[in-house]
Amino acid sequence: MTLATQAITLAVMLACGLAMGTVFDAYRVLTWQLPFLRKLLPVLDLLYWAGVTVFVFRALYGSNEGQLRSFVFIGLAAGVLLYYFLFSKPVVWLVRKGLDGVRWTIRLVRRLFEVLVIKPVLLLYKLVLVILGIAASVSIFLLKVVLQLLYPIRMLGRFLWRLTGGRVNWRGFADWLLKVTRVYKLARFREPMKKIWNKLFHR
């Protein structure tokens, strides 16, 4: 391995150490802020270390074809220490702010959905109920008015039914209506009554 290759490998391992520290801090902040991830902590630890191992091996293979030397571990350790002394606090702050931004965005989207979709639908539903209630009330009122107006006719019909013993001479009643139209010269009612009489009794 040449000196240039060793220098490249050392720089790559230093960068890998920085990346390992960054990912670990982001992962740690997420597990603090999201309680449901704490239950999966053992599995996530295993995945973290498996991912780090694969990442470092691929980087090492790309820099010196996978040759393992002592300076490889020195580069990794130096990268991790450099990260924790210089970049740990800013990265943790950025991850927290990013998570707060995601939460704020989710709350904003949910609020907009409530205001623009859910509340108009509920308002329309209540408006339809009010309109149906008013229509039902008006219909019941009109039905009562009609029943009140028909009450005298109904009482007269009952009286005639009782008076005739349930046997009404409809033909005689039609003749009587025609005579009334002749007597009182109700010409405009006479022809319609005559047509009705002919249809009923002269088929």
Side-chain angles (χ1 to χ4, degrees), residues 98-109:
L99 191 58
D100 291 340
V102 171
R103 288 173 174 169
W104 181 84
T105 303
I106 293 174
R107 288 195 297 267
L108 177 63
V109 171

Side-chain angles (χ1 to χ4, degrees), residues 5 20 66 76 96 113-114 117 133 136 138 150 153 156 181 188:
T5 303
M20 287 172 58
L76 283 174
R96 286 179 177 174
F113 182 76
E114 291 176 355
V117 178
V138 172
L150 293 178
I153 299 175
L156 178 61
T181 56
R188 59 177 178 175

Side-chain angles (χ1 to χ4, degrees), residues 168-179 197 201:
V168 180
N169 187 358
W170 295 107
R171 184 169 182 175
F173 181 70
D175 290 335
W176 176 78
L177 286 177
L178 290 174
K179 291 178 181 178
W197 184 78
F201 306 108

Side-chain angles (χ1 to χ4, degrees), residues 82-97:
L82 182 64
Y83 168 79
Y84 277 107
F85 279 112
L86 297 179
F87 304 110
S88 179
K89 290 183 179 179
V91 168
V92 170
W93 183 83
L94 286 174
V95 173
R96 286 179 177 174
K97 292 300 180 182

Side-chain angles (χ1 to χ4, degrees), residues 2-199:
T2 64
L3 186 61
T5 303
Q6 292 179 6
I8 293 173
T9 302
L10 184 61
V12 170
M13 291 300 103
L14 186 67
C16 287
L18 291 171
M20 287 172 58
T22 303
V23 174
F24 182 78
D25 269 348
Y27 156 67
R28 184 182 57 175
V29 171
L30 289 176
T31 53
W32 286 348
Q33 298 292 325
L34 303 175
F36 70 92
L37 290 179
R38 296 174 190 171
K39 299 179 181 179
L40 303 174
L41 197 58
V43 178
L44 294 176
D45 284 339
L46 182 62
L47 292 175
Y48 170 77
W49 287 111
V52 164
T53 302
V54 173
F55 173 73
V56 171
F57 178 76
R58 291 294 301 271
L60 184 63
Y61 185 82
S63 62
N64 65 1
E65 297 182 351
Q67 298 181 31
L68 193 61
R69 298 289 187 271
S70 59
F71 61 85
V72 171
F73 299 101
I74 294 174
L76 283 174
V80 171
L81 290 175
L82 182 64
Y83 168 79
Y84 277 107
F85 279 112
L86 297 179
F87 304 110
S88 179
K89 290 183 179 179
V91 168
V92 170
W93 183 83
L94 286 174
V95 173
R96 286 179 177 174
K97 292 300 180 182
L99 191 58
D100 291 340
V102 171
R103 288 173 174 169
W104 181 84
T105 303
I106 293 174
R107 288 195 297 267
L108 177 63
V109 171
R110 185 175 62 183
R111 183 60 179 169
L112 289 175
F113 182 76
E114 291 176 355
V115 172
L116 299 177
V117 178
I118 296 178
K119 288 188 176 180
V121 170
L122 291 177
L123 183 61
L124 181 62
Y125 173 72
K126 292 179 180 179
L127 181 62
V128 170
L129 290 180
V130 170
I131 293 174
L132 291 177
I134 293 175
S137 300
V138 172
S139 300
I140 293 173
F141 174 75
L142 293 176
L143 180 60
K144 289 182 178 180
V145 170
V146 171
L147 291 177
Q148 291 294 328
L149 293 175
L150 293 178
Y151 181 75
I153 299 175
R154 187 175 59 183
M155 294 302 297
L156 178 61
R158 287 182 181 178
F159 173 75
L160 294 175
W161 185 263
R162 292 175 182 174
L163 186 64
T164 58
R167 296 183 298 274
V168 180
N169 187 358
W170 295 107
R171 184 169 182 175
F173 181 70
D175 290 335
W176 176 78
L177 286 177
L178 290 174
K179 291 178 181 178
V180 168
T181 56
R182 291 195 193 97
V183 171
Y184 293 99
K185 296 181 180 180
L186 300 176
R188 59 177 178 175
F189 297 107
R190 181 177 179 182
E191 292 302 323
M193 291 301 301
K194 190 173 182 180
K195 290 180 180 179
I196 295 173
W197 184 78
N198 290 331
K199 287 183 180 180

